Amino acid sequence: FDGWSVEGTFHGINGFIINQDKHDNHVSVEEINRLDYQSLMENLENRIIPLYYNDKARWSQLMRNAIKTAEGYFHSDRMAIEYYNRLYHPAAL
């Protein structure tokens, strides 16, 4: 997972997460890729595509939720402040 999916994605509410299960450290890269692909296809076939074509109101709400989530927290001002507080400010002490 990248930062967005960990911090801001709520599965089925403002987006979809591919392979929510954590991978065992002993699983091969090929197996991880296979599991991720399987999860992606399941999400597309059983959630995303049917939602988009069959429930435009819910799809629109999901998109609005994604925008609200992103604009409220994921912006460059927050990022710059967080980087300063975590990286630069401690180094100046």
Side-chain angles (χ1 to χ4, degrees):
F1 300 121
D2 67 4
W4 166 255
S5 63
V6 172
E7 297 176 69
T9 303
F10 303 97
H11 190 72
I13 296 172
N14 67 347
F16 298 91
I17 297 174
I18 297 171
N19 206 352
Q20 297 181 59
D21 300 325
K22 292 185 178 180
H23 298 298
D24 185 344
N25 289 337
H26 305 295
V27 176
S28 70
V29 172
E30 292 81 11
E31 181 65 8
I32 291 171
N33 288 340
R34 188 189 70 73
L35 292 169
D36 287 348
Y37 171 78
Q38 186 177 16
S39 178
L40 170 65
M41 296 311 293
E42 181 183 331
N43 272 306
L44 282 171
E45 292 173 5
N46 299 322
R47 293 177 184 89
I48 298 169
I49 292 171
L51 182 62
Y52 179 81
Y53 285 106
N54 301 326
D55 193 347
K56 292 291 187 181
R58 187 159 172 262
W59 177 262
S60 295
Q61 185 60 52
L62 188 133
M63 293 298 103
R64 285 191 295 277
N65 291 343
I67 292 167
K68 286 178 191 175
T69 304
E71 75 182 359
Y73 187 69
F74 297 97
H75 51 81
S76 60
D77 290 345
R78 183 206 54 94
M79 178 193 67
I81 291 166
E82 184 176 332
Y83 282 0
Y84 173 78
N85 287 334
R86 288 186 177 195
L87 301 172
Y88 301 109
H89 183 68
L93 297 175

